[in-house]
Amino acid sequence: MRYMLIVKATPQSEAGEFPPDAEQMFAEMAVFNNELIAAGVMLDGAGLQPSKEGRRIRFEGRGNPIVTDGPFAETKELIAGYWILECKDMDEALGWARRVPFSEGELELRPFFEPEAFEGLVSDEVMEQEKGWREAQRERALTAQS
């Protein structure tokens, strides 16, 4: 099962600033990421630029979407980075989350909807197509790590 481990934004990350111990933190993150990759758990992961570099796209009906330039006000509502993990269950994913080498900050761990969650709601053809997409994504992630 896939999980998204979300790094919550902070005022510092929203300002585009790295912590004073950034060199050590990045070295520790490299070790951690390499452990995730070696264990076959990490499918993807990245840090995100501050919300001032982003856009929000809001849909209201079927008309033209409304685009709003960042920055966005509520830092606690924003994310600064993520990992996509493939683990056997929530306990395994939580075990990895507890090992993230942060000295402060907040993470959020959420499972993905997997194709099986949509059985009975979509046709078998759509279900197989979704499974194919997921497998292709997984293969690309594993190839990129090689």
Side-chain angles (χ1 to χ4, degrees):
M1 181 156 207
R2 292 174 309 140
Y3 296 85
M4 178 176 265
L5 184 56
I6 302 164
V7 179
K8 302 296 272 186
T10 65
Q12 185 179 36
S13 68
E14 271 300 288
E17 298 170 358
F18 293 112
D21 65 343
E23 186 175 345
Q24 178 182 348
M25 182 192 76
F26 287 129
E28 291 171 357
M29 289 300 297
V31 169
F32 179 69
N33 287 338
N34 285 328
E35 289 174 2
L36 288 168
I37 291 167
V41 172
M42 185 173 163
L43 299 179
D44 191 16
L48 300 174
Q49 292 188 26
S51 70
K52 69 182 178 185
E53 302 300 332
R55 308 292 182 273
R56 283 197 176 158
I57 302 92
R58 189 173 72 236
F59 297 86
E60 294 179 356
R62 295 286 180 187
N64 288 332
I66 300 164
V67 177
T68 306
D69 294 345
F72 308 115
E74 290 294 323
T75 301
K76 66 182 181 179
E77 303 284 330
L78 301 174
I79 66 172
Y82 69 93
W83 286 272
I84 305 296
L85 308 177
E86 187 165 337
C87 299
K88 66 180 181 207
D89 56 28
M90 177 63 87
D91 287 339
E92 181 185 3
L94 190 55
W96 285 105
R98 287 183 169 130
R99 294 181 55 196
V100 172
F102 285 177
S103 58
E104 58 183 53
E106 184 177 1
L107 300 171
E108 181 178 335
L109 180 62
R110 296 180 55 189
F112 278 78
F113 275 114
E114 296 296 351
E116 297 74 21
F118 304 108
E119 285 182 24
L121 298 173
V122 299
S123 69
D124 290 343
E125 180 181 325
V126 170
M127 181 70 74
E128 288 307 311
Q129 186 177 44
E130 180 71 24
K131 287 179 181 178
W133 291 336
R134 300 288 170 96
E135 186 57 32
Q137 290 170 354
R138 185 179 190 289
E139 291 301 317
R140 278 193 302 276
L142 294 175
T143 300
Q145 294 171 9
S146 300

